[in-house]
Amino acid sequence: MSREWTTTIQAPDGIYAALAQVGDMAHRGLSKGPVEVALRRPDDQRSKDQNDKLHPMIRDIARQCEHCGQKWSEEHWKRLLTALYQQQEVIPGLDGGFVAIPMSTSRMKKKPFSDLVETIYAWGSERGVQWSEPALKVYEQYREAAA
């Protein structure tokens, strides 16, 4: 059995068939340990493809911008820009100093993710970032989704 299985119920008459599938999959999965079952609206979830689309914008910023007088990796920029969008918690580290606990972009729903993309676009545009074609496509796609 794969690590994750998803089914979508689109009409009331499909509930019992879907529940039977869930029961069957849970039964098979229990042979390997506890199983988690979650119900959610598919509209609220972003796909991996949608999540990956953030990276062209971050890549453009990483190539063109500096922070604190130096260039930073795409991962650092992703954390900085996510913190710009939503404040993160800063706690004392276990061995001194401080540790920032950022929000995970992979767990963001569609609307907050669209807002993050808008924040990144605004921040970069204010600093003269020349957006690549993939980054512009991402911005247009999420701007339309947020409207």
Side-chain angles (χ1 to χ4, degrees):
M1 179 170 121
S2 71
R3 208 159 142 61
E4 187 172 313
W5 174 79
T6 304
T7 188
T8 302
I9 304 169
Q10 296 188 25
D13 58 353
I15 292 172
Y16 296 108
L19 288 175
Q21 282 184 303
V22 169
D24 181 55
M25 295 302 286
H27 184 337
R28 285 195 272 162
L30 285 170
S31 67
K32 304 232 186 224
V35 173
E36 179 180 80
V37 177
L39 296 175
R40 64 180 164 263
R41 298 214 178 274
D43 295 345
D44 292 342
Q45 298 299 312
R46 292 179 299 105
S47 68
K48 182 180 180 330
D49 179 56
Q50 289 169 314
N51 200 47
D52 290 344
K53 289 179 179 180
L54 178 66
H55 294 276
M57 295 181 83
I58 293 172
R59 190 171 303 117
D60 287 349
I61 288 173
R63 288 179 182 158
Q64 299 173 45
C65 296
E66 290 185 357
H67 179 62
C68 295
Q70 69 181 63
K71 294 280 191 177
W72 296 96
S73 70
E74 289 179 36
E75 184 60 32
H76 281 81
W77 276 109
K78 183 177 179 180
R79 291 176 186 206
L80 284 165
L81 293 161
T82 301
L84 173 67
Y85 166 69
Q86 181 170 356
Q87 296 300 313
Q88 59 190 358
E89 188 174 358
V90 179
I91 59 174
L94 298 174
D95 61 352
F98 290 90
V99 177
I101 311 297
M103 178 182 194
S104 171
T105 58
S106 63
R107 294 190 177 152
M108 283 182 168
K109 305 285 188 206
K110 283 184 180 180
K111 176 67 171 123
F113 192 79
S114 293
D115 292 345
L116 171 63
V117 168
E118 186 72 36
T119 299
I120 292 170
Y121 183 78
W123 187 90
S125 294
E126 288 170 2
R127 285 152 184 84
V129 169
Q130 299 298 307
W131 299 110
S132 63
E133 186 63 30
L136 287 172
K137 283 183 181 179
V138 170
Y139 174 67
E140 286 300 319
Q141 187 176 22
Y142 279 95
R143 190 177 68 152
E144 290 171 13

